[in-house]
Structure formats: structure tokens, C-alpha cells
Amino acid sequence: QVQLVESGGGSVEVGGSLTLSCVYSQLSGCMGWFRQPAGKEREGVAMINTAGGSKSYGDFVRGRFTISLDNAKSTVYLQMNNLKPEDTATYFCAGGPRCSTRFFYGEEKSAVWGRGTQVTVSS
């Protein structure tokens, strides 16, 4: 059973930075970060092909967020810069067999999910 544990969430002011961590028990072919604002649907933030290193980002975070993988620490990171109020959400990490549009849309049924960490951005 694959297990994922997110950490690093908290409160930050507009324009600030925050780094989220996701420790995994077993590496998946694709690791991703997702977020769900209160009252809205979950959306893909970023994903990385753990074999080839290719990365994909959601349109509204590209250029501000960076996903990375540290195999030695069994951790996937999400570096978030220039945070905005609309970034406020519960952030989840997930692992799936391969990176795909289906995975990024949260529709990969075999994906394994963490329980989430809250990020709040305010002025």
C-alpha cells in the first residue's frame, strides 16, 4: 500500500513563499500536486514524471510554482512563490502509474492520495 503524507501548509501573506513536502512510502511513475479551494472542485497544480523528469503545470501557477523530486529523501516538493489569495486551498499530493491528462484531472482511479495540507494566503 502506497502512503503519502503532506506537510508545510500554513498561512502566508500575499506575495510570500511557501514550500510543501510530500513524503511517499513508494515512488509512483507520476507524482503530482492538486488543490481544492473551499466550495470548489479539485484541480491539478503540477505533476512530474519520476523516470524522465518531465514536468507539467496548471496555467494559473506556471512561472510561480515549481515541482521537484528528491529520491534520497523520498519526498516530492512544491515550491510556491508570489502567492495570491486565489491560491488558498487544501493541497494534496498523489501518485499514479504515469503522467497523463487523466491523472492531472484527478480522474485516474488507481492514483493514491494524501490527506492534504491547508494553505491560506491573505493580505
Side-chain angles (χ1 to χ4, degrees):
Q1 285 281 317
V2 178
Q3 293 185 326
L4 306 171
V5 181
E6 304 98 332
S7 64
S11 298
V12 63
E13 294 185 348
V14 172
S17 298
L18 201 62
T19 299
L20 304 182
S21 300
C22 175
V23 178
Y24 55 84
S25 63
Q26 181 178 336
L27 184 64
S28 299
C30 183
M31 301 295 295
W33 285 97
F34 303 77
R35 68 186 186 187
Q36 185 169 20
K40 297 184 177 181
E41 295 183 345
R42 184 163 54 193
E43 62 182 355
V45 175
M47 62 181 180
I48 180 171
N49 182 310
T50 60
S54 299
K55 303 173 182 179
S56 298
Y57 296 94
D59 289 340
F60 287 94
V61 304
R62 188 176 294 108
R64 298 188 296 122
F65 292 8
T66 302
I67 186 171
S68 62
L69 172 67
D70 188 338
N71 288 318
K73 296 183 180 295
S74 298
T75 303
V76 179
Y77 300 97
L78 183 68
Q79 175 66 50
M80 304 184 293
N81 298 321
N82 191 24
L83 284 161
K84 304 176 180 180
E86 52 262 44
D87 295 319
T88 296
T90 300
Y91 283 71
F92 302 87
C93 64
R98 64 192 66 82
C99 289
S100 65
T101 300
R102 178 167 57 248
F103 176 75
F104 199 68
Y105 287 168
E107 298 175 351
E108 175 55 64
K109 293 185 177 181
S110 65
V112 178
W113 296 83
R115 300 188 68 178
T117 184
Q118 179 68 34
V119 172
T120 302
V121 184
S122 63
S123 60

